[in-house]
């Protein structure tokens, strides 16, 4: 049984970057010629936050950093800024895992909304200080809202398709630490 749980751990650690690459591929496909009037959700951040809150051992720090840095480079954002902020927020959410485990989904969603709001505001402030055109506030606010709307869907898909659920009290991870 221990071999199976270690194999599942490494399988899920490999699934996360593969899903991230799939999301990035879909984002980069030229679906329309004109610029979008509506900012879509940041599914990569939603996926990262769902997995960081529900199964922190599936998304190690290095994996999150590599995926988000690649996303920064491919989507032509300032390299490393958004990646660092998402990494910090994901690590904070991993610490909140035990506190949120016994609460409702609404508490989880509220925690993610707070973390996402903080990193979005810090991102805009940093872009303003670095004299980089941060884009319109309306687009950032719209993407924030769309990401929050998409979060329950990403959580449901992660739960049903990949079995990413909250660990139960007393459950042990593959290393033998109590959950």
């Amino acid at each position: 049984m221990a071999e199976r749980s270690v194999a599942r751990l490494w399988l899920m650690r490999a699934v996360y970057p593969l899903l991230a690459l799939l999301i990035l591929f879909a984002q980069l496909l030229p679906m329309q010629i004109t610029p979008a009037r509506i900012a879509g959700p940041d599914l990569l951040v939603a996926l990262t936050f769902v997995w960081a809150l529900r199964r922190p051992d599936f998304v190690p720090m290095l994996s999150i950093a590599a995926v988000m840095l690649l996303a920064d480079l491919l989507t032509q954002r300032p390299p490393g800024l958004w990646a660092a902020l998402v990494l910090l927020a994901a690590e904070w959410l991993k610490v909140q895992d035990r506190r949120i485990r016994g609460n409702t989904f609404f508490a989880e969603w509220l925690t993610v909304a707070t973390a996402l709001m903080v990193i979005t505001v810090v991102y805009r402030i940093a872009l303003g200080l670095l004299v980089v055109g941060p884009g319109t506030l309306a687009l950032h606010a719209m993407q924030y809202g769309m990401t929050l709307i998409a979060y329950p869907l990403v959580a449901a898909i992660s739960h049903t398709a990949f079995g990413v659920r909250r660990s139960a009290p007393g459950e042990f991870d593959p290393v033998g630490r109590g959950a």
Side-chain angles (χ1 to χ4, degrees):
M1 178 162 160
E3 295 83 18
R4 193 172 125 200
S5 62
V6 170
R8 174 161 166 72
L9 171 71
W10 283 103
L11 174 70
M12 296 309 286
R13 284 184 176 177
V15 166
Y16 170 72
L18 291 175
L19 285 174
L21 287 174
L22 184 67
I23 291 170
L24 285 171
F25 178 74
Q27 283 180 346
L28 294 174
L29 282 176
M31 299 299 245
Q32 55 188 343
I33 300 171
T34 60
R37 297 188 190 283
I38 297 174
D42 194 340
L43 294 176
L44 192 53
V45 171
L47 178 75
T48 302
F49 286 178
V50 166
W51 286 40
L53 259 177
R54 292 172 177 244
R55 292 306 293 225
D57 50 333
F58 288 173
V59 283
M61 183 187 307
L62 189 58
S63 181
I64 294 172
V67 162
M68 295 312 291
L69 184 60
L70 179 65
D72 280 354
L73 294 173
L74 291 177
T75 58
Q76 298 181 354
R77 291 187 293 234
L81 179 58
W82 186 246
L85 291 172
V86 170
L87 179 63
L88 289 172
E91 291 301 313
W92 180 76
L93 288 172
K94 286 180 184 182
V95 171
Q96 301 301 312
D97 169 49
R98 290 179 187 245
R99 185 180 63 82
I100 293 174
R101 183 183 314 134
N103 287 338
T104 63
F105 179 76
F106 182 73
E108 174 185 336
W109 199 18
L110 193 60
T111 304
V112 167
T114 304
L116 188 58
M117 175 63 80
V118 168
I119 66 171
T120 302
V121 168
V122 169
Y123 182 70
R124 285 202 45 93
I125 290 171
L127 288 180
L129 290 174
L130 297 172
V131 192
V132 176
T136 64
L137 179 61
L139 284 177
H140 279 271
M142 195 178 310
Q143 186 174 32
Y144 169 78
M146 295 295 280
T147 304
L148 286 183
I149 290 170
Y151 183 83
L153 180 64
V154 172
I157 291 171
S158 293
H159 181 76
T160 57
F162 301 105
V164 178
R165 57 172 177 74
R166 293 182 194 161
S167 56
E171 187 176 324
F172 290 95
D173 66 4
V175 182
R177 295 181 299 231

